[in-house]
Amino acid sequence: MRPIVIAGNWKMHTNPTDAGELAHTIASRTKVAGVTRVLCPPFVCLAAVRDAVAGEDVAVGAQDVHHERVGAYTGDIAASMLAGLATWVIVGHSERRRWHHETNELVSEKLKRAIEAGLRPILCVGEDLEVREAGAHVAEALVVDQVLDAVRPNSGTGLAESGLVVAYEPVWAIGTGRHASGADAAGMAVAIRQALDDTFAGSVAGLRGETTPILYGGSVTAASIDQFLAEPEIDGALVGGASLKPDEMAGIVARAGITAHARGLAG
Ligand code: PEP
């Protein structure tokens, strides 16, 4: 059974002195059975957030990881360096693709490093507005290519064991206040699952579409989460701006708890 995941991406917000308090507040206001909670602060806040949520059943994730294991990469962070700080990691976020020119091939390498380091990856994919306006099939083809380019060079077994999560995040919906419809997000999830099955069918312990959690991301708030979680194909959300607001997170996770209960995940 797939988990319900609500992951908060704090982007380049907070600092080591206030991140712990925010994490503690969110953790204490989102205790809901059956929902996997993940907080992804900036690298320099990982230790503070880890300490603040110790014993709270909240996972800590990094927002990125370098594609090499070690080397002369000033300012970068290798997956192995996250040991003891984070257990999850976001790879391929559209802001990394946009501002750091990350390609699908690079994202695939990052995925490899995350898996090697035992981190649970959240692979972000999504189309820009021009592609969406060209039609749902065009958007699905592009997003499926993003997913397959990232996963294909990796072993199906490694991906399955890592607990890979895919986040469908239309670029035009991130930080804009506009969001996809629940039906569009669900349609994308179906296309991604089918592509995973087509790719890894025949590999005994490979990745399976039906066991891969797929989240929606893009201007999710407590007011908009409902239509995504009402879709059986959607397993939660990657939340940006609203994840910095305890009231919003409390509302989002409470709604996720209803879905967890309905899907028999709440114990
Ligand atoms: C994100 O950062 O992944 C995101 C979806 O941001 P926002 O919720 O602010 O659109």
Side-chain angles (χ1 to χ4, degrees):
M1 211 176 298
R2 301 188 301 262
I4 301 289
V5 179
I6 300 295
N9 172 17
W10 288 1
K11 310 194 189 208
M12 199 168 72
H13 296 287
T14 70
N15 58 57
T17 50
D18 62 21
E21 192 179 330
L22 179 61
H24 177 75
T25 305
I26 291 172
S28 61
R29 294 194 53 195
T30 56
K31 290 180 198 285
V32 172
V35 181
T36 299
R37 297 168 292 166
V38 189
L39 295 178
C40 304
F43 284 124
V44 295
C45 300
L46 285 169
V49 171
R50 173 203 60 195
D51 293 347
V53 302
E56 287 281 6
D57 202 20
V58 172
V60 180
Q63 297 175 13
D64 182 42
V65 74
H66 198 264
H67 64 280
E68 293 288 355
R69 292 189 187 93
V70 68
Y73 300 102
T74 303
D76 283 319
I77 302 290
S80 62
M81 297 172 184
L82 296 172
L85 288 170
T87 54
W88 290 59
V89 66
I90 296 170
V91 293
H93 192 281
S94 67
E95 287 155 12
R96 300 288 314 175
R97 293 178 191 258
R98 178 175 182 197
W99 300 114
H100 296 267
H101 313 292
E102 293 191 1
T103 61
N104 290 345
E105 291 67 33
L106 190 91
V107 172
S108 178
E109 288 298 303
K110 290 182 176 222
L111 197 49
K112 196 169 289 171
R113 299 286 94 82
I115 295 168
E116 279 173 5
L119 296 164
R120 187 165 191 175
I122 301 178
L123 168 64
C124 297
V125 290
E127 80 285 354
D128 61 25
L129 189 56
E130 209 173 77
V131 173
R132 172 53 60 179
E133 285 176 344
H137 288 300
V138 181
E140 282 172 18
L142 179 127
V143 168
V144 160
D145 276 354
Q146 287 178 328
V147 172
L148 293 186
D149 283 355
V151 299
R152 248 198 225 115
N154 288 285
S155 100
T157 309
L159 288 161
E161 286 175 1
S162 76
L164 174 73
V165 173
V166 177
Y168 166 54
E169 301 205 299
V171 177
W172 49 270
I174 297 183
T176 60
R178 275 182 80 181
H179 52 77
S181 68
D184 283 345
M188 193 61 82
V190 170
I192 292 169
R193 291 207 164 94
Q194 186 61 55
L196 292 178
D197 285 341
D198 292 346
T199 303
F200 292 102
S203 120
V204 177
L207 199 62
R208 294 276 175 275
E210 67 167 1
T211 53
T212 303
I214 298 184
L215 316 183
Y216 168 78
S219 297
V220 167
T221 62
S224 68
I225 185 71
D226 185 65
Q227 64 188 288
F228 301 105
L229 290 175
E231 297 287 344
E233 294 288 343
I234 300 293
D235 305 308
L238 179 54
V239 185
S243 72
L244 292 156
K245 300 175 186 160
D247 284 351
E248 289 288 336
M249 280 299 269
I252 290 166
V253 177
R255 175 61 187 81
I258 295 171
T259 297
H261 191 264
R263 295 187 194 176
L265 294 163

